[in-house]
């Protein structure tokens, strides 16, 4: 193309050529950096993959299990795709205590309902059948299996509450049990009398001891328990 004789127009053309060059240079530098960043990312991914592979092989070699004998909830599909959660009344929950063989066995602890059908201990005749179909959170903390089958936690000691939290975690992380929903309790009237400790009828002996004896009797009576 012929150049114009106007010096101002020539200067404009040179300027726009410079800008084009600059843009193209910047574009090349950026795409180079992009490729570099991408390669770095792939390298990190590969390293993580190798580490996982190494960990799994070491687990297999040392424990016989690729997952180092881990059987908790994080390897269950249900953890990532939980079933729709249900809301139970106390009387609805009671229908799932294992006496009806066509229904699963549910228990509740501090409001959370779990499917424990796979636990033989909860079947009728099993040592922990008394936890089935009910929220007996208090009994989990005190060990008073007969008289503390209630969700009323008023007046419990820190140690007993810790006991409940221990069992809550037990159900939350158990490989065979899973949460199915919540149970709605009618509100507790604060002026109603508190649940008695299980030592009140047997002064001199600790309530826990008394109830442990009761529980042991249950356990000994049950063939199920031996199969646990
Ligand atoms: C506060 C007192 C206690 C509570 C709340 C309690 C509750 C439980 C619960 C919820 C389970 C789990 C059942 C399952 O789903 O597998 C269990 C298991 C068991 N309990 Fe107790 N328990 C208590 C005390 C005792 C005592 C004192 C003994 C000892 C005689 C005992 C013996 C067992 C045995 C042998 C198992 C099965 C062990 C296993 O599968 O790992 N429990 N208990």
């Amino acid at each position: 193309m012929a150049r114009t004789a106007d010096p101002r127009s020539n200067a404009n053309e040179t300027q726009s050529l410079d800008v084009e060059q600059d843009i193209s240079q910047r574009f090349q530098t950026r795409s180079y950096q992009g490729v570099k960043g991408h390669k770095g990312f792939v390298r990190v991914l590969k390293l993580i993959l190798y580490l996982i592979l190494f960990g799994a092989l070491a687990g297999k070699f040392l424990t016989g299990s690729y997952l180092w004998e881990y059987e908790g909830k994080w390897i269950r599909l249900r953890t990532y795709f939980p079933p729709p959660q249900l809301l139970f009344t106390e009387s609805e929950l009671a229908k799932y205590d294992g006496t009806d063989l066509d229904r699963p066995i549910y228990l509740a602890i501090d409001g959370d309902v779990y499917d424990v059908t796979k636990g033989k201990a909860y079947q009728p005749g099993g040592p922990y059948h008394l936890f089935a179909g009910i929220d007996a959170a208090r009994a989990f903390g005190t060990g008073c299996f007969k008289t503390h089958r209630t969700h009323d936690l008023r007046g419990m000691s820190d140690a007993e509450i810790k006991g409940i939290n221990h069992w809550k975690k037990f159900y939350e992380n158990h490989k065979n049990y899973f949460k199915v929903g919540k149970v709605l309790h009618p509100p507790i009237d604060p002026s109603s009398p508190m649940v008695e400790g299980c030592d009140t009828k047997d002064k001199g002996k600790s309530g826990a001891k008394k109830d442990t004896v009761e529980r042991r009797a249950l356990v000994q009576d049950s063939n199920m328990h031996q199969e646990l």
Side-chain angles (χ1 to χ4, degrees):
M1 203 172 70
R3 290 205 160 202
T4 59
D6 184 354
R8 270 181 305 175
S9 142
N10 278 341
N12 278 351
E13 260 179 47
T14 325
Q15 219 174 9
S16 74
L17 269 177
D18 285 349
V19 171
E20 268 173 37
Q21 257 177 358
D22 186 40
I23 289 174
S24 130
Q25 253 175 9
R26 272 193 208 179
F27 179 74
Q28 276 174 5
T29 318
R30 277 207 193 140
S31 51
Y32 172 69
Q33 278 171 348
V35 171
K36 224 171 122 186
H38 178 73
K39 273 189 182 165
F41 179 68
V42 170
R43 252 186 230 148
V44 172
L45 264 188
K46 267 189 188 168
L47 183 72
I48 293 173
L49 212 71
Y50 287 144
L51 283 177
I52 292 174
L53 208 68
F54 178 75
L57 288 174
K60 180 77 183 163
F61 182 70
L62 294 171
T63 67
S65 143
Y66 288 114
L67 297 173
W68 293 78
E69 292 179 342
Y70 176 74
E71 294 186 324
K73 64 174 183 174
W74 297 112
I75 51 165
R76 282 179 298 162
L77 264 186
R78 221 186 281 270
T79 304
Y80 306 98
F81 305 101
Q85 297 291 289
L86 308 167
L87 203 56
F88 296 84
T89 60
E90 291 180 346
S91 54
E92 275 165 2
L93 182 63
K95 293 177 193 160
Y96 296 86
D97 69 348
T99 45
D100 181 345
L101 296 180
D102 293 332
R103 288 180 195 266
I105 305 178
Y106 294 163
L107 69 68
I109 178 164
D110 202 22
D112 295 327
V113 181
Y114 287 90
D115 185 323
V116 292
T117 313
K118 287 196 177 161
K120 289 184 177 169
Y122 307 101
Q123 291 172 1
Y128 293 109
H129 174 58
L130 32 81
F131 285 131
I134 195 171
D135 185 342
R138 192 179 191 96
F140 278 102
T142 61
C144 304
F145 297 106
K146 263 194 181 168
T147 52
H148 286 181
R149 294 178 72 231
T150 168
H151 64 284
D152 185 349
L153 307 185
R154 285 178 301 162
M156 291 183 76
S157 70
D158 287 351
E160 288 169 338
I161 296 287
K162 259 192 187 168
I164 297 179
N165 288 335
H166 160 80
W167 289 110
K168 280 170 82 170
K169 284 218 174 77
F170 171 82
Y171 290 109
E172 203 185 306
N173 296 318
H174 202 285
K175 63 173 174 153
N176 290 330
Y177 307 148
F178 55 94
K179 195 172 163 195
V180 289
K182 292 209 137 248
V183 56
L184 269 182
H185 297 297
I188 295 167
D189 177 1
S191 63
S192 64
M194 271 203 239
V195 183
E196 285 184 11
C198 43
D199 54 340
T200 49
K201 288 176 205 140
D202 194 7
K203 285 193 179 134
K205 290 181 186 173
S206 89
K209 205 170 169 190
K210 184 172 180 280
D211 259 274
T212 300
V213 171
E214 284 171 2
R215 193 202 55 77
R216 281 202 181 130
L218 276 168
V219 168
Q220 276 159 10
D221 284 353
S222 162
N223 296 328
M224 295 285 188
H225 199 264
Q226 286 153 23
E227 291 172 41
L228 279 171

